[in-house]
Amino acid sequence: MDVIQLTRELGKAIQADERYSNYIRARVANDNDTELQSLIEQFNHGRVILNNEVSKAERDENKIEELKTSVGELYSRIMKNEHMSAYNDAKNEMDELLRRITTIISMSANGEDPETCDMNHSCTGNCSSCGGCH
């Protein structure tokens, strides 16, 4: 089996992983939450208005502060939403899995032992920065 085919098999294994399933379920729940999507739309619109106000030559500082408060409140409501919270948790787990996979692949391509290299290994190749072998 060649490297590309093995990579495709890795892709299938990633999609079979529980972290991937959790991420997809959380993303769908997020996308289907109409209240959350409305808040995100309001937040994005508010940011555009705020950025436009900040960019003006003659700025209205009171208006800017009001917009900052409004955008901040929307952000807080978005982040407190149960679907957004679940999505962030699932995405963080998925991102961590992908970082670990990428690290192992990169370290293997640099000559490390694929059986033992992992994210906990922090060898830079420069012994002066070494905190000791693990």
Side-chain angles (χ1 to χ4, degrees):
M1 197 178 286
D2 73 356
V3 173
I4 299 303
Q5 186 57 40
L6 286 169
T7 305
R8 293 184 193 289
E9 293 301 316
L10 175 59
K12 291 175 189 176
I14 289 169
Q15 290 179 346
D17 190 280
E18 180 182 357
R19 289 164 283 198
Y20 175 81
S21 300
N22 291 341
Y23 168 69
I24 296 302
R25 274 192 304 277
R27 188 176 73 192
V28 168
N30 234 15
D31 290 347
N32 291 334
D33 185 333
T34 55
E35 180 183 344
L36 175 60
Q37 293 306 312
S38 175
L39 288 170
I40 292 170
E41 186 177 311
Q42 292 172 48
F43 172 80
N44 289 333
H45 182 69
R47 279 189 19 207
V48 168
I49 293 170
L50 174 60
N51 288 338
N52 288 340
E53 193 63 37
V54 168
S55 299
K56 288 181 178 178
E58 293 188 30
R59 299 166 34 154
D60 181 343
E61 295 300 328
N62 289 333
K63 185 173 185 178
I64 290 172
E65 285 306 313
E66 288 174 13
L67 289 167
K68 283 182 181 178
T69 300
S70 175
V71 167
E73 288 171 356
L74 285 167
Y75 180 80
S76 179
R77 288 178 60 196
I78 290 167
M79 298 313 290
K80 288 178 183 175
N81 178 285
E82 67 179 303
H83 292 135
M84 180 58 81
S85 178
Y87 171 79
N88 283 335
D89 291 345
K91 183 166 182 352
N92 288 338
E93 287 183 21
M94 190 66 201
D95 288 347
E96 182 66 19
L97 172 64
L98 295 175
R99 271 192 300 278
R100 188 170 181 200
I101 290 168
T102 302
T103 298
I104 293 169
I105 291 170
S106 295
M107 292 177 78
S108 297
N110 285 321
E112 296 284 334
D113 180 358
E115 291 294 326
T116 60
C117 63
D118 210 327
M119 285 180 32
N120 295 331
H121 182 54
S122 60
C123 181
T124 64
N126 179 352
C127 293
S128 67
S129 68
C130 186
C133 292
H134 300 281

